[in-house]
Every structure is written in structure tokens, then in C-alpha cells.
Amino acid sequence: MFILFFSLFFIAEAQQLQLHEYYNQQIATKDFSVDEKEQFLDSLLHENNIKIDTLKLIKIYRSFLTDLRHSNYKKSFSLIDKIERLTVLSDNYDIEDIKIVHRNKILFLYNTQKYYEVLKNVNLYLDKYPEKDAQLGKVYRLIANTYSDLGDLQKAIDNFDKSIYISKKQNDNKGLALSLRDKLGIYIELEDSIYNREIGKLLEQTEALKKVYDFDDKLEKAYRNNLGCFFDFLGDYSKAKINYEKALDISMQTEDFEKVFDTYINLGVLSKKEKKIEKALEYLQKASEYTYDEKYKEAMVFNNLADIYKLQNNYKNALIHYQKAITQALHSKELPYQTLPKFEDIELSPNKIDILGYLIDKSNGWIACYEAEKNAKYLENSLETFALADSLVDVIYVESREDLSKLFWRKKSATFYPKAVEVCHRLQQPEKAFFFMEKNKAILLLENMTDATAKRLSKLPKEILKREQDLIKKIKTLEGEIQMSSYTESHIDTLKDNIFDYKKELNAFIDSLETNYPKYYKYKKNKKVVTLQEVQSNLQKDELILQYIVGKEKGFVTLISPETIQLKELPSTARLRETVATYKNAVSKPFVNIDDKNKYEEVATLLYQQLFPFSETLSQKQMTIIPDDVLQYIPFEALRAPTNEYLIENTQIQYNYSLSSAAQSQQNRMSSGSSFIAIAPTKFLDEQYATLTTSSAELEKLTRIFGANHFQYENATKKRFTEAYGNYKIVHLSTHGGLDNAIPWLAFYDEKITLDELYFTKNQSELVVLSACKTSDGELKKGEGVMSLARGFFNAGAKSVISSLWDINEKASTEIIEEFYKNIIAGDSKSGALQKAKLTYIQNNENTSEASPYYWSALTLTGDESPIKLSANGYLYYIFGGILLTGIVLYIRRKRNKKEVA
């Protein structure tokens, strides 16, 4: 109890005492706890002859917060609540003490893992205090760390960039060092070599800053810990250990036991990777001494101990410790290791990202236990745990808005979906395997397509759609400038700051859409993964689907017919990738001699056997292939079937990114405008690219076939394309294509269009034909697919795309595409038309070097294969006859000049 040491007699005698003066006088001579100070201050508030200066009273309450520091958050929030009520009474927010209290509240909410409350209060703070000062840099850094803990890593990076920009403008070297440190940690956490360049830039900036600003111990140890993590990721364990030990030494000297714990954990994980089990146990034991009853830290120790027990083949103990990690992270009571926690409890946990990792580890623990004891119940337990992990990753994914963040979680989920399929294979449950295989593919693409459908079904006004597109265009344009330019660091910082502001505006705009147009929000959230029953019900008798999944060690394939599904294991991933690489190398270049042809036939036969481990005949079938991993870079058409024929000779083939995205594509509204548009620059401004010699003749024939106009030379501009694109059933592009820094592009007369730009275009075409090089090529994102131009057009709304897997031969592709269009007009399906066109080409070039698959197999069809309804040209047959006659003449001339392959 608080003992009142002061006589109220003296207060009664005084006339209108100033509360803050009297309080400070009386408290100065006494040694009170924070609670006692607060009780005494509160008692004074009830005295009639005490004059209260609200702002001075706020300052006293804020001093209590300073005294408490981080020792009692419950008490701190109570004091903040009092200060906030006083602030309302004073109606004066623009004083430093109130700003500090608001920032303290945000920090305390973050430290107590109330992340959504952090974001709510940050928005209030930014509305009240938008001025850019050093403190605002701190706020944005805290926002970034909040998004990092929520798993939205791109938003974290964006807010770090904002903090860095402000810190530089304010000459706040300490704030700059802290933001560089934390941003470096994010890129390292992504564990992807594609970001090594960004990491290198951050390390350079940090080293440059260290030359003009002395890093204190806190900064230096965090920097060393980050370096250790980076070298750990690179596999340079020696350098990793050196940096971890330097961080540990500084942490010990400064008694920063939080960092002592982190570093011991990192050293334990490193030793575990090096298979130095005793050393790993020693580090983990030391880490456990610095948990101080913090549950999430104890969970980390338990999970790492479980990994070690698994390495020691002590599977039961491993499972017990995985379970302890889960329950500690949940702050829940212990559960038997066979029992999973409720999804509802995990969903609400601030530690759900950690828990996801623990669930995946535990699932793999059950698999290891099965392999030791052959008890099928363990596989059932594993599958149940994988299913819970899948539900959890869906929640984390939905909470992430930026593509980088979503792709990170797609990559994370791709680590366990193949394992889940492996369990299904062992349990002989192909139906359940189908679900995990479908979840492993193109969910981000499905989401974008669902969003486009939602906008159409909810009938959003055109001006609303235009505003969104304009904002996205501004963002993508600036991002493209950063990627493709050699601007100074200062200019790049300014570009990033502009991007941040546009993204903030876009996010607010999307939030308003979801509020003001509830139908749109309802449709948008209806992202549907198709079921096996739905897929089979839509298959015709002669249709088959081959769906692949390739994991780190093993791969699997399902063969789906209208009535059945079969699940088979592929060769080991290492062996399969080796065969695929050999096949791709053989098929993507012309045969120079008979040895080249023999090597191709050998590997094409071998790969067929590896990819089609089924006894059923696949000839005379229409086949949809859903490839995965490196299989997305090869043409299945050129595989050699057991009959010693190309697979395409007896099989119609089309590809899809996933069956769910294919189903969603069927809801696209197709163009009811003109039938055909062709765009072919042929020549390029300032001779940026080589002239395409056959483009003119190709365009003339195509436009005669369809009775349509075309854009060529200086008329084939990027602007002309974007204005016309989307109003035609068929869009034909004959130009150059390629990759710059893994970013796909297409060239127009004046400038290029990149994959990012395609994402904010809208298209309603039945078919886009990309008669250009490498339009199916791009960066492979695990769990999502290849980020190619073909995908970009598909994402924009095209129902199907014909694209190329490598640098195509201009003359051969022209012949195939002309024949393809003739077949389309004749009423063939897209896959049937392409099959016939390729077979015609093969027949016309039989026994010549141009018959090799390099010339005809690069062009592939992705998406819907159904026929296109077009109005026939009155001169169609006349033109066909002319084309046929021309083709015969050219064929005879080639026969005279070409050497046959012996």
C-alpha cells in the first residue's frame, strides 16, 4: 500500500499550488517506486486547491514511462491510456512529449507482438505528424520490422527504403545504419541467390557508412550477425562462424543477452549443418540459459533440439520436441506429441510464421519415423500435419499484399508440397496427392485472374479501373527504371521514395474498393482451387492430363483420365534434372551431323521413359501437361515415344500453368471485336535490333488470310500496341524478344515492353501468338512457375498463348504459324491446328537438317485449346491456293540446296 507521507494540512493552507511544482518538490526527497509515484500524483488530482497544467501533468506521467523502460508493459499501457485521455482534454497534439508517448506506444505494441495494433496506431501517428524528421525515419523502420514479422517482406523492404531515404535527408547516420542493418536481414532471410546483388549493395553502403560514422557495439554485433547469416546461406561456414563469434563476443561484453541468445542459436544451427552434433548441443544448451522464460525463444531451442534428435535417429524424442516447440510458440499447455493444436489457435498467434516452420519439420519427423518402423499410422500423422501447414500458409499468404512476399511464401510452401505428395504415394492416395500438386502451382496467377473476374462481375466503374491501372503503371515504370538504369544512389533513393508514395496511395485505393464495393471483395476472395472430381467431369473420353511435381529429392506425376487417376514416382530429382538438361541442349540447336541426331534420339527416348512411367498407350489422345520445375523449359512434343516416333505425331499437346488457373480462364470475357491484328516492327528505331527479314512477307500473307490491317515499321510502336491490344480475338506479334536481368521483354519499333508492364494491361483475346525468341523463358519461381512473357499475357486475360522456348528460326516459325492459322480458319482446335502445322513442316522438310526438332518444337501452346470462331474471308480459298503454290516452289528450291542428314 502507498503510505501518504505528506500532510494535506499544508496543501489546505496553500493557495492554488501548481501541481507539477508541488509534486516535484515533495518527490525529490523520497525514494519512491513508479507505482508509489503514480498513486501520490493521482491523489493530488482530487485536491481542490491544486492547479493543474495538463501538459506538465503529461510530462510527469511520461517520466514514469521512462522509469519503467521495458520492464512492465501492462503498466506502461495503463500510463499511456491516461496520457491519451489528458491529450484529448488539452486538444494539443503537437508537442514533443505527446509525440514521444505515441511513438512509445507503437514500440511497446511491437514488443508485445500486437502487430496489427502497431499498424493501426502508426497510421494515426502519420496522419498527425507527417513532417519528415529523424523520428519519422524511426517510425518507418518500426513499420518495416512489423511487416517483416507478419511475413509481408516486400512491404518491409519498402518501409526500410522510406526510412533510409528520410535518414539520409536528415543526416541521421545512426538511423541510416539501423535501417541498412535491418533491410540486409530481410534480404538474407529470403534465402535466394537472385538477391545477392542487392545484398552486395547493402554491404557496400554499410561499409561506406562505417568510414564516416563509428558503429557502436549494438550496431556492430547486429551487422556481424547478419554477415554470419549471409555466409551461412552461401555455404561458407568458416566465415559464418567467424562473424557469429565476433557478434557473440560483443554481446557478452555489453551484456546484451537478447543477442547472446540469437548468436548461440545461429552457431547451433551452423554446427548442425556441419554435422558437429556435440558442438550443436553445446550451443543450444547455452542458448537455453538466455531464454528468460520467453516462450518463442524456448520454442526455437526445442525445434533445433528436435532436429538433432532426428539426426541421431531418436525419432520419438524428436517428435516430442517438435511438439514442445509448437506449444511454446502458441503459449499453450503441452499436448501429446500425436495431437495437433487447433487451427483457430494457430491462426491468431503472433508466432504463426515460426509455427509454420515447426509444423513442416514435425511432418518430416513423422516421415523419418515411418521409414524406421514402417508404421502407416505415422504417414497419416504426417499428412494431417502437412494439411495443417497448408491451411496456415494460406493465411500468411493472404495477409501479404506484395508479389515478392507472396512469391516468398509460395517458395516456402513448395518445400513441403512434394513431401506431402510423397506421403500420398506411399499411402496409395492419388486423390489427396492431386490437391497438394494443384496447390503447388500458380496460385499467384490464379489470384490475379480471380481479381480480374471479380472486377468484371461486380461491374466496377471504368474510371475506378483506370485509376488503379494508372497507379500500377506508375509503380511498375519506376521499378523498371531502377532495374534497367545506372542512376546514382541518390537518384535511386528518390525513385524508391516515389514508388513508396504511389504504393501507399494504391493500397488505400484497394482498401476503399473492398469497403465501397462489397460484391467485388466477395468475388475477389473466392479464389477457388479445383477438385479432382470437377476436372474429371470436364474431360472428354480421349483427353488425358499429366500433372507433375518436382521436389528437392523426388518427383511425381499423376495421369488423369475421365474415370481414373494414377500416381507414379519419377526418377530422383538430380537424375531427372540431368536428363532434362541434356535433352534441352540437344533439342534447342540444329543437328550438325549424324552424331547430334543420335544423341538427341537417345536422350529423347530416355526422358520419355522417365516422364511417362505408365503402361497405358498415350497415342491418339489429346493431352494437357502441367509441368513443374525444369520441365517448364522443354517441349514434350519432341520426346521419342516407344514407337520411335515424336510424341506429337500421334498426340495433341497443350500446356497449362495449373488446372485451377485454366478453370478460372474459362470465366474470362473474350473480345467480340475484330478477328485479327498483326504487329511486326521489322525494322527498329536507331537500328537497336537486327532487321527481321521475313516479317513483311509474313504480315502480308497473314493479313490477307484474315482480311485485316496490320502495323509495321514506324507504325508498330509500343503505344499503338497497348491501344489496340485487347480488342481482337487473335493478336499476332512478330518481333524480337529476350531477357535483361531475368526480366523478359518484347521489342516494338520505338521501345520495349517488359513482363512487369504486361501485368497492368488488360486483354480479352482468344489467342496471342508470340513469334519471337524466348517468350516462354524467364526466371523460375518455386511453387509458382516461370515468369515469362507468355505468363504475362495469360495473366492479362488472354485465353491462350503460343510462345517460344528458345531463339527460334525465323523462317521455320513463319511457315509453322502460317499453316497453323490456315488450320484455325478451317475450324481446328488450337492444339490440333498447331499439331497439324508442325507435322506438315516435318513432312515438308523430311530427310533434311531442317527437320530437326530445333526448328519446329520451340513453339508451344499454353491455355485453352478450343477452336476460335472467325468470319471467313471471301478470297480464302484463292489465298490458300496461292500460299500452297508458293510453299511448293520454295520447298523444291530448298530440296536442291539442302544436304540430307546421313
Side-chain angles (χ1 to χ4, degrees):
M1 288 290 294
F2 171 74
I3 302 173
L4 186 59
F5 292 93
F6 310 102
S7 172
L8 295 180
F9 170 77
F10 294 105
I11 299 176
E13 290 292 316
Q15 296 297 314
Q16 287 292 302
L17 293 175
Q18 289 286 343
L19 180 144
H20 67 281
E21 292 178 354
Y22 181 74
Y23 169 84
N24 288 330
Q25 288 170 6
Q26 299 301 325
I27 216 76
T29 59
K30 305 295 179 183
D31 184 19
F32 282 179
S33 68
V34 172
D35 283 342
E36 289 170 335
K37 288 178 183 179
E38 184 186 6
Q39 288 180 43
F40 174 56
L41 181 62
D42 288 346
S43 71
L44 295 178
L45 294 175
H46 298 292
E47 296 301 323
N48 294 328
N49 58 342
I50 291 287
K51 186 177 181 180
I52 300 172
D53 183 327
T54 304
L55 297 181
K56 296 288 177 57
L57 181 58
I58 287 172
K59 188 178 285 291
I60 295 172
Y61 277 124
R62 194 177 78 76
S63 71
F64 297 166
L65 286 174
T66 304
D67 291 342
L68 283 171
R69 294 184 181 273
H70 300 283
S71 63
N72 188 336
Y73 286 121
K74 184 177 181 180
K75 184 69 177 175
S76 295
F77 284 125
S78 174
L79 289 167
I80 289 170
D81 184 57
K82 287 184 178 182
I83 294 170
E84 287 179 337
R85 282 187 271 125
L86 289 170
T87 302
V88 173
L89 290 174
S90 72
D91 196 28
N92 186 354
Y93 293 88
D94 197 21
I95 60 172
E96 193 57 31
D97 280 309
I98 293 173
K99 290 182 182 179
I100 292 171
V101 169
H102 201 148
R103 290 198 297 271
N104 283 340
K105 181 179 181 181
I106 294 168
L107 177 62
F108 297 161
L109 287 168
Y110 175 78
N111 288 344
T112 53
Q113 298 182 302
K114 297 176 181 176
Y115 299 131
Y116 295 105
E117 286 296 309
V118 169
L119 298 178
K120 177 182 175 182
N121 280 272
V122 157
N123 288 331
L124 294 173
Y125 181 91
L126 294 175
D127 287 341
K128 287 188 176 74
Y129 316 115
E131 302 84 7
K132 290 183 178 178
D133 56 20
Q135 298 302 324
L136 197 59
K138 291 181 181 179
V139 172
Y140 279 112
R141 184 166 59 253
L142 189 56
I143 298 171
N145 283 315
T146 301
Y147 278 120
S148 174
D149 289 335
L150 286 171
D152 198 338
L153 302 186
Q154 180 61 66
K155 278 198 173 180
I157 290 169
D158 290 342
N159 280 278
F160 280 132
D161 284 338
K162 187 74 170 179
S163 177
I164 289 168
Y165 179 80
I166 293 171
S167 297
K168 287 180 178 178
K169 290 292 183 183
Q170 299 296 321
N171 295 315
D172 177 16
N173 284 333
K174 182 177 181 180
L176 177 59
L178 289 167
S179 293
L180 287 173
R181 174 201 70 186
D182 291 347
K183 184 182 176 184
L184 177 62
I186 292 289
Y187 276 114
I188 292 169
E189 184 182 347
L190 287 168
E191 294 188 334
D192 194 327
S193 58
I194 194 173
Y195 301 114
N196 285 359
R197 182 181 172 191
E198 287 295 331
I199 291 172
K201 288 180 182 178
L202 288 168
L203 291 174
E204 287 175 8
Q205 291 180 55
T206 303
E207 290 296 335
L209 182 61
K210 289 178 76 173
K211 293 176 181 178
V212 298
Y213 176 72
D214 290 332
F215 275 31
D216 60 20
D217 289 335
K218 185 175 182 180
L219 280 168
E220 185 63 24
K221 65 195 170 193
Y223 180 53
R224 290 294 175 183
N225 207 34
N226 272 339
L227 280 176
C229 291
F230 181 50
F231 286 120
D232 189 343
F233 165 67
L234 293 177
D236 192 337
Y237 296 149
S238 177
K239 285 185 179 179
K241 188 175 182 181
I242 289 170
N243 281 282
Y244 285 148
E245 288 177 341
K246 285 183 179 179
L248 181 62
D249 288 343
I250 299 171
S251 300
M252 283 293 196
Q253 290 169 17
T254 57
E255 297 185 349
D256 185 349
F257 300 129
E258 181 88 16
K259 292 302 178 187
V260 169
F261 170 81
D262 291 342
T263 311
Y264 273 135
I265 286 288
N266 287 337
L267 284 165
V269 171
L270 184 66
S271 298
K272 185 174 62 177
K273 290 178 181 178
E274 294 180 304
K275 299 294 191 290
K276 297 177 180 178
I277 303 302
E278 294 304 317
K279 198 66 180 175
L281 287 170
E282 179 185 333
Y283 284 131
L284 292 175
Q285 176 57 42
K286 288 180 179 178
S288 68
E289 296 170 10
Y290 293 93
T291 59
Y292 298 118
D293 296 325
E294 291 188 73
K295 302 295 186 184
Y296 80 95
K297 290 182 179 178
E298 292 175 354
M300 292 173 70
V301 174
F302 283 134
N303 196 71
N304 279 286
L305 285 172
D307 287 343
I308 291 173
Y309 289 132
K310 191 171 81 167
L311 287 172
Q312 294 175 326
N313 300 327
N314 188 348
Y315 301 119
K316 182 176 180 180
N317 215 2
L319 289 166
I320 289 170
H321 280 77
Y322 285 134
Q323 185 76 338
K324 284 184 177 181
I326 294 167
T327 54
Q328 289 295 91
L330 278 171
H331 295 226
S332 70
K333 65 180 182 180
E334 287 196 17
L335 296 169
Y337 70 89
Q338 302 93 337
T339 304
L340 285 172
K342 293 180 180 178
F343 173 71
E344 294 77 12
D345 295 335
I346 301 176
E347 185 181 17
L348 299 174
S349 170
N351 297 318
K352 56 178 168 281
I353 292 174
D354 291 336
I355 294 169
L356 174 63
Y358 303 154
L359 287 170
I360 295 170
D361 289 343
K362 186 181 178 187
S363 298
N364 289 322
W366 280 118
I367 295 173
C369 200
Y370 164 79
E371 289 172 344
E373 301 181 23
K374 303 302 180 186
N375 185 337
K377 177 61 179 172
Y378 299 156
L379 292 179
E380 294 286 356
N381 291 341
S382 176
L383 201 57
E384 185 183 3
T385 310
F386 276 134
L388 184 57
D390 169 65
S391 298
L392 182 54
V393 84
D394 281 349
V395 171
I396 299 170
Y397 177 90
V398 167
E399 291 176 353
S400 302
R401 275 195 170 175
E402 297 282 350
D403 282 0
L404 179 144
S405 308
K406 291 175 183 288
L407 288 169
F408 172 78
W409 291 111
R410 296 297 300 133
K411 180 181 175 182
K412 188 79 172 177
S413 58
T415 63
F416 72 83
Y417 286 137
K419 280 287 188 182
V421 173
E422 179 184 345
V423 173
C424 293
H425 179 256
R426 290 181 170 185
L427 289 171
Q428 298 182 7
Q429 295 180 359
E431 295 82 4
K432 288 185 179 179
F434 171 86
F435 169 80
F436 289 112
M437 294 176 85
E438 190 63 19
K439 287 296 292 287
N440 188 58
K441 293 179 180 66
I443 294 296
L444 178 56
L445 177 61
L446 174 63
E447 181 179 63
N448 292 341
M449 294 171 68
T450 304
D451 182 64
T453 302
K455 287 170 181 167
R456 176 172 60 82
L457 294 176
S458 57
K459 299 179 180 178
L460 289 184
K462 289 183 178 178
E463 60 271 17
I464 293 287
L465 297 174
K466 185 178 185 304
R467 185 182 170 199
E468 181 189 30
Q469 292 302 309
D470 287 345
L471 285 170
I472 295 172
K473 184 175 182 179
K474 288 174 182 176
I475 292 166
K476 295 296 184 184
T477 301
L478 291 175
E479 288 178 341
E481 280 191 54
I482 292 172
Q483 288 285 339
M484 311 295 279
S485 70
S486 55
Y487 290 132
T488 63
E489 183 182 315
S490 174
H491 188 64
I492 288 175
D493 287 340
T494 301
L495 290 175
K496 287 180 177 179
D497 192 57
N498 292 335
I499 290 170
F500 181 90
D501 292 339
Y502 283 132
K503 281 187 175 182
K504 186 176 181 181
E505 185 179 351
L506 178 62
N507 285 328
F509 172 74
I510 292 172
D511 288 340
S512 71
L513 281 186
E514 294 176 353
T515 302
N516 298 330
Y517 297 91
K519 283 187 178 179
Y520 162 69
Y521 184 73
K522 176 184 175 182
Y523 290 133
K524 177 183 175 181
K525 293 300 178 185
N526 189 27
K527 182 181 67 189
K528 190 175 187 308
V529 176
V530 295
T531 65
L532 176 62
Q533 290 74 21
E534 289 170 333
V535 169
Q536 289 180 312
S537 66
N538 288 314
L539 287 179
Q540 300 301 313
K541 185 178 180 180
D542 62 343
E543 286 184 293
L544 295 174
I545 295 172
L546 283 158
Q547 187 174 38
Y548 293 87
I549 188 168
V550 179
K552 185 177 180 181
E553 298 168 349
K554 296 180 180 181
F556 298 88
V557 56
T558 54
L559 176 64
I560 304 170
S561 71
E563 296 86 20
T564 63
I565 177 172
Q566 299 179 58
L567 176 63
K568 297 284 187 179
E569 185 173 350
L570 299 172
S572 70
T573 297
R575 184 182 167 207
L576 179 65
R577 285 177 178 165
E578 182 182 0
T579 309
V580 168
T582 305
Y583 172 73
K584 176 71 180 292
N585 183 59
V587 79
S588 60
K589 62 184 181 183
F591 298 153
V592 176
N593 50 46
I594 192 65
D595 189 47
D596 285 348
K597 182 180 180 183
N598 291 339
K599 286 179 180 178
Y600 152 73
E601 290 181 347
E602 181 181 350
V603 71
T605 301
L606 173 61
L607 188 56
Y608 179 95
Q609 293 166 355
Q610 292 179 349
L611 294 178
F612 298 94
F614 303 99
S615 58
E616 289 84 353
T617 177
L618 302 178
S619 63
Q620 307 303 320
K621 297 288 185 180
Q622 183 177 317
M623 185 185 299
T624 299
I625 294 171
I626 316 293
D628 190 33
D629 197 68
V630 294
L631 300 181
Q632 295 170 87
Y633 291 114
I634 62 168
F636 281 62
E637 291 91 328
L639 295 173
R640 302 288 288 185
T643 56
N644 205 30
E645 297 174 311
Y646 297 122
L647 180 60
I648 196 173
E649 292 189 58
N650 292 297
T651 309
Q652 288 184 28
I653 297 173
Q654 71 263 2
Y655 302 83
N656 253 310
Y657 298 103
S658 73
L659 293 168
S660 297
S661 64
Q664 184 63 44
S665 175
Q666 295 302 315
Q667 298 186 39
N668 290 355
R669 177 185 291 168
M670 292 297 103
S671 173
S672 56
S674 303
S675 294
F676 179 86
I677 183 173
I679 300 175
T682 307
K683 296 180 180 180
F684 301 87
L685 183 65
D686 299 328
E687 298 182 347
Q688 300 175 71
Y689 311 102
T691 299
L692 293 167
T693 54
T694 63
S695 286
S696 295
E698 178 184 1
L699 247 64
E700 185 179 344
K701 290 176 183 178
L702 294 181
T703 52
R704 288 208 322 258
I705 289 173
F706 290 101
N709 294 323
H710 65 266
F711 299 120
Q712 194 176 9
Y713 303 120
E714 64 274 6
N715 290 322
T717 62
K718 180 177 174 180
K719 182 179 179 182
R720 184 65 61 86
F721 163 72
T722 54
E723 288 174 349
Y725 176 60
N727 299 317
Y728 295 84
K729 291 183 179 180
I730 299 176
V731 176
H732 179 96
L733 294 169
S734 180
T735 183
H736 285 291
L739 297 169
D740 280 344
N741 296 322
I743 300 174
W745 56 266
L746 275 177
F748 292 92
Y749 172 77
D750 52 345
E751 57 181 318
K752 296 185 293 190
I753 190 169
T754 65
L755 174 62
D756 284 344
E757 292 175 279
L758 282 175
Y759 282 149
F760 60 80
T761 61
K762 291 303 170 191
N763 177 263
Q764 297 176 342
S765 298
E766 286 270 2
L767 173 66
V768 174
V769 176
L770 303 176
S771 182
C773 297
K774 294 184 177 178
T775 47
S776 290
D777 203 359
E779 185 185 352
L780 176 62
K781 296 289 188 182
K782 288 294 292 181
E784 191 61 28
V786 175
M787 301 292 111
S788 66
L789 286 167
R791 178 191 169 102
F793 281 99
F794 205 79
N795 185 90
K799 208 166 184 180
S800 52
V801 180
I802 288 180
S803 54
S804 59
L805 289 163
W806 52 75
D807 290 340
I808 57 176
N809 178 273
E810 187 183 353
K811 181 173 169 295
S813 64
T814 298
E815 290 182 28
I816 291 170
I817 287 172
E818 286 177 17
E819 191 71 25
F820 166 77
Y821 281 133
K822 291 195 302 185
N823 297 332
I824 285 290
I825 290 179
D828 287 342
S829 68
K830 301 185 196 86
S831 61
L834 189 58
Q835 180 198 27
K836 285 183 180 179
K838 288 183 176 182
L839 293 178
T840 299
Y841 176 86
I842 293 169
Q843 184 178 2
N844 289 344
N845 292 275
E846 190 177 6
N847 298 323
T848 76
S849 62
E850 291 189 11
S852 70
Y854 158 76
Y855 291 96
W856 57 263
S857 65
L859 293 171
T860 59
L861 171 70
T862 300
D864 176 71
E865 58 81 40
S866 58
I868 302 175
K869 294 180 181 179
L870 298 169
S871 55
N873 189 314
Y875 298 97
L876 190 59
Y877 294 105
Y878 173 79
I879 293 166
F880 277 2
I883 292 173
L884 181 60
L885 180 61
T886 302
I888 292 170
V889 172
L890 288 172
Y891 174 67
I892 293 170
R893 287 178 180 175
R894 282 199 305 274
K895 287 275 283 184
R896 291 173 180 171
N897 298 321
K898 293 280 193 295
K899 290 183 177 180
E900 295 185 2
V901 178

